Amino acid sequence: MDVLFFSTIADQIKKEINHKCGLNISQTRILLFFDDTNNKALAMGKLAEALNISLSTLSRQLQQKKTKSLIEITRSEKDSSKIVKLSSEGIKKAEELKNTLSKIESLLFISLDSDASSLFVKQLYEIAQASSSLDDLQ
């Protein structure tokens, strides 16, 4: 098996998300994170940690014109940190993204029945978890 197929599939999914929703991968990750946490406001440092990126990278991502329209940033009343959550436009875009991802998944798994699809997704998740151990190959 050519493991680089994963990269090809990921690239096609990213292109489809960009085409259908007008989002890049960082915007996609931010929207899905807040959707998954019921749009719970979070300090930028905690958000960067949750997304497994540096604070400076997150800051640059949040400065993008499109991203600015999807989020609200406020100052914490406790300290100087900035608090981030989705704006109403971001919440709508997250719903659009989830619908698009559902359609993509249906197309990818069209040849599988629901049991086979569930098993495949479970196995892919396990592969993704195992891939984190690739750093130990050195």
Side-chain angles (χ1 to χ4, degrees):
M1 175 182 161
D2 183 358
V3 295
L4 295 179
F5 283 143
F6 291 114
S7 178
T8 302
I9 294 167
D11 288 345
Q12 285 302 118
I13 292 170
K14 289 177 202 173
K15 285 178 188 173
E16 194 64 18
I17 291 169
N18 186 270
H19 175 71
K20 298 284 189 195
C21 301
L23 299 169
N24 63 34
I25 193 66
S26 66
Q27 293 159 344
T28 298
R29 292 185 71 219
I30 291 167
L31 289 178
L32 290 176
F33 174 83
F34 279 110
D35 183 74
D36 193 46
T37 61
N38 296 312
N39 201 26
K40 182 179 177 228
L42 199 58
M44 278 182 60
K46 296 283 186 189
L47 178 58
E49 187 178 312
L51 294 172
N52 199 25
I53 58 176
S54 71
L55 183 56
S56 62
T57 297
L58 177 63
S59 183
R60 278 193 312 277
Q61 290 174 355
L62 297 181
Q63 295 297 323
Q64 295 173 4
K65 185 178 179 183
K66 172 80 175 193
T67 307
K68 282 183 176 182
S69 69
L70 302 173
I71 58 167
E72 293 176 3
I73 300 177
T74 56
R75 285 253 179 230
S76 171
E77 293 177 7
K78 299 177 198 168
D79 54 36
S80 64
S81 64
K82 294 179 181 177
I83 307 299
V84 184
K85 70 176 190 172
L86 295 182
S87 64
S88 57
E89 184 179 334
I91 293 169
K92 288 181 207 168
K93 187 57 87 168
E95 282 302 313
E96 178 187 344
L97 173 60
K98 286 192 315 184
N99 289 334
T100 298
L101 289 173
S102 179
K103 290 174 186 173
I104 290 170
E105 184 177 321
S106 294
L107 287 171
L108 285 174
F109 301 150
I110 198 163
S111 64
L112 303 175
D113 65 29
S114 64
D115 288 341
S117 177
S118 294
L119 178 60
F120 184 66
V121 169
K122 180 180 179 235
Q123 290 171 330
L124 274 179
Y125 179 78
E126 290 171 4
I127 291 168
Q129 294 300 314
S131 72
S132 65
S133 66
L134 293 177
D135 292 336
D136 299 335
L137 287 176
Q138 299 173 17

